[in-house]
Structure formats: C-alpha cells, structure tokens
Amino acid sequence: MERELALEIVRVTEAAALASAHWMGRGKKNEADDAATSAMRSMFDSVNMAGTVVIGEGELDEAPMLYIGEKLGTGNGPEVDIAVDPLEGTNILAKGHANAMAVIAISDKGNLLHAPDMYMEKIAVGPRAAGKISLDDPIEKTIDIIAEANNKRVHDLTVIVQERPRHEEIIERIREKGARVKLFGDGDVGAVIATALPHTGIDLFVGTGGAPEGVIAAAAIKALGGDMQARLVPMNKEEELRCMDMGLNNPRQLLTLNDLVKGDDAIFAATGVTSGELLEGVTFLGGDLVETHSIVMRSKTKTVRHIKAHHHLGSKPNLILV
C-alpha cells in the first residue's frame, strides 16, 4: 500500500465524525449512523485506491449502509480490502456517552478476515505480553501471565470487560483472582486498542463481542505491536454455514492475530466523535470552526500519528445538520 493512503484515510474518518457529531445526545442513533455513512462514502470517492468493503454494515439492498462487496475509491491506486464502522457506538452517541468513534481498517487485497456479523470471543494485550496469551487458557492463568509480562502485581492489573450478562461469570473470576475490572458499555474497538496504549492503564481485554469490530481492532493491535486471539461464536446452523462460505472450514477454530489480519501492512484510522480513553471527541469551537482528534497507524512501519485538525464547516455544507 502507498504511504500516502494512511493520511487520506484519516480524511474519511474525520468526515464521518463531523457528520455524526451533530446528532450527539439527540437520541436518534439511526440518523447519526446514516449521516456518518453518507459522509464516509462521499469522502472515499476522492481517495486513490481500488477498495472493496469486506466488513461493512449491511448487504447490497440495505442502503445507505456501506455494504459488503461495495467498491470504494477512485479505482486508481492499490487494491485493498476495507473494514468500516462509520459510527462505532451508535447508542453511545445517541445518549451522549463517551468513546464513540468513526473507524476504518485497510489492508492489501485478501488480507482481512471476512468476518460475518456474529459474536466473537476475543482476548487482547499490549506489546509486553505479545506471544504469551492463549484464548484457551483459564482467565486466572492469563492474569498471572500478563502481570509478570507487564511487571505488575495482580491487584494492580486492570482488565477491561464489556458490561453484559454473558460476562458475569468471568468478571467474578477476575475479581476473585484479585485483579481490577473496568467495565464499559458499547464500543469494544476502543477497549481492545486501549490494551496496547500505555497511558490508558489497561492491561487485558477479554469478552465476547462483534466479529467485525474484532477484525477492525486487530489491525490497530498489529500496528501497535500487541497481540490478539479470537474465536467466532456461531449461534445456529445458518451462522456456521456463513462462516464456511467466508472460507473458515472450522467455524470455531482459534484465530490468531495473523489470521485476523494477514501480512505485514495494514492501516487503522479513527476519529473521535465523543471523548474517551483513545481520542477526544468533536468540539464545536464557535462559528463554523470545529476541532477533531484522530489516530492513524500502520503496521508495516509501526508509525502512530495523532492528528488534531480544525475544520471550517462553511466549506463543507454536506456536513451541516439540516
């Protein structure tokens, strides 16, 4: 992939964040998602690449979603696979809560797992514990491994888990082991990435969430030098067949980071919509001036860029709420 593509992709996440930020706290998650999707699609039209959506929000007839198989970009430039979530955390944004983001992952063609829209077990850690985790290990053993790798006492370790009934048992086991638990509501892409960023204080992510979000987060984990494993959780025969149609002969096989994102070159970009651990949200500064905060990273070079930008919305009338 071309180096310039990383910065071009940030323009796409910025557009989605700007468009959806107007809907913050208004209680209308579908309108916010539609705004983000439309802005993202429009900005993609200016990017020099021949992209194909392999992880999107819907199928061909589910407009205006960015659907699986949709072609994006000018058609000139590298052939790439694209995983998108124009608004990761639609409920978060509708309620005005933290950690809503616009996110994209891009890799060379054929290198992103074509994960179906179903549940996925996930475990993620930062660079110090890379290569030392196994999704099949009991959580108690994993905590001991992470504590040693991160040079922390168990009771100083922080495990981030989505607050859902399905996680009640593992939360209790983590607490009984003596580690700290940080719960979050929606938006597990940011929670996974937090494990690989030292300033967050998060040491381990465990839990079951969306498979598409897992692949998107894996691109960031790869760029940050962390590690991640996963396993799809098909709930019925139909979902098992979908896994097999996407190339997984064993739908419940253990997926390593290199299964989720193949090769050594992937790009992850995100722009905050509401503030959280990873990014600051969109800030309306008065008049038509708006500030965004983004992060973009590339696994091939391990470069991580934090970008603060000021936008004059008067020059972008398509982003104005009407």
Side-chain angles (χ1 to χ4, degrees):
M1 290 187 290
E2 298 176 7
R3 183 181 305 157
E4 293 79 8
L5 188 56
L7 296 178
E8 286 295 295
I9 293 306
V10 174
R11 293 173 54 239
V12 179
T13 57
E14 285 175 344
L18 287 165
S20 58
H22 292 289
W23 295 97
M24 194 276 288
R26 296 176 183 268
K28 296 182 178 181
K29 65 177 186 178
N30 292 334
E31 287 84 348
D33 198 34
D34 288 351
T37 301
S38 296
M40 184 172 277
R41 178 182 280 118
S42 178
M43 191 60 73
F44 261 128
D45 288 342
S46 66
V47 179
N48 284 323
M49 65 177 188
T52 302
V53 177
V54 298
I55 292 178
E57 290 197 302
E59 305 299 333
L60 178 59
D61 59 348
E62 295 180 8
M65 302 306 180
L66 285 159
Y67 59 84
I68 296 170
E70 183 171 356
K71 304 298 181 182
L72 297 174
T74 63
N76 301 315
E79 288 189 276
V80 296
D81 283 350
I82 303 171
V84 297
D85 195 340
L87 181 56
E88 214 256 330
T90 53
N91 287 320
I92 289 172
L93 185 68
K95 296 176 181 178
H97 291 173
N99 285 314
M101 301 184 296
V103 297
I104 297 173
I106 290 182
S107 78
D108 291 319
K109 187 175 178 62
N111 282 359
L112 290 182
L113 178 73
H114 294 195
D117 188 8
M118 63 177 63
Y119 279 127
M120 173 186 273
E121 291 181 74
K122 311 169 199 174
I123 181 172
V125 293
R128 290 180 179 176
K132 300 178 181 180
I133 58 170
S134 172
L135 191 59
D136 292 328
D137 282 344
I139 188 62
E140 294 82 1
K141 179 180 178 180
T142 298
I143 287 172
D144 284 334
I145 291 170
I146 304 306
E148 181 178 359
N150 288 356
N151 193 27
K152 291 185 178 182
R153 294 166 294 190
V154 166
H155 66 260
D156 293 329
L157 209 71
T158 301
V159 185
I160 192 165
V161 187
Q162 191 173 25
E163 188 173 14
R164 293 290 187 271
R166 62 180 178 272
H167 293 144
E168 288 176 357
E169 179 186 351
I170 198 166
I171 290 169
E172 185 58 32
R173 288 170 63 186
I174 294 167
R175 288 170 172 165
E176 288 180 359
K177 179 65 178 174
R180 306 189 305 165
V181 176
K182 181 165 187 175
L183 300 176
F184 70 97
D186 295 315
D188 67 357
V189 171
V192 170
I193 297 170
T195 63
L197 296 170
H199 72 273
T200 66
I202 305 297
D203 300 287
L204 172 65
F205 174 99
V206 291
T208 300
E213 291 85 353
V215 176
I216 294 172
I221 290 292
K222 195 160 199 173
L224 292 167
D227 199 7
M228 183 173 174
Q229 291 186 358
R231 179 180 286 113
L232 291 169
V233 186
M235 306 298 288
N236 50 50
K237 190 66 176 179
E238 180 183 356
E239 290 193 347
E240 287 185 359
L241 291 173
R242 286 185 66 193
C243 294
M244 297 174 73
D245 287 343
M246 291 186 172
L248 292 175
N249 293 329
N250 177 9
R252 291 178 173 81
Q253 72 184 68
L254 181 67
L255 300 167
T256 67
L257 182 59
N258 287 330
D259 293 320
L260 297 167
V261 182
K262 297 184 177 71
D264 66 350
D265 200 3
I267 294 169
F268 171 88
T271 301
V273 185
T274 58
S275 295
E277 279 125 354
L278 185 61
L279 293 163
E280 294 296 317
V282 174
T283 304
F284 293 90
L285 299 175
D288 65 356
L289 189 62
V290 184
E291 184 175 280
T292 59
H293 292 254
S294 304
I295 189 170
V296 58
M297 52 189 86
R298 188 181 182 193
S299 60
K300 186 173 183 177
T301 60
K302 296 294 188 286
T303 302
V304 178
R305 289 183 171 90
H306 295 267
I307 299 171
K308 180 170 77 172
H310 283 179
H311 308 263
H312 291 271
L313 292 192
S315 63
K316 301 182 179 71
N318 59 308
L319 299 181
I320 298 296
L321 177 67
V322 293

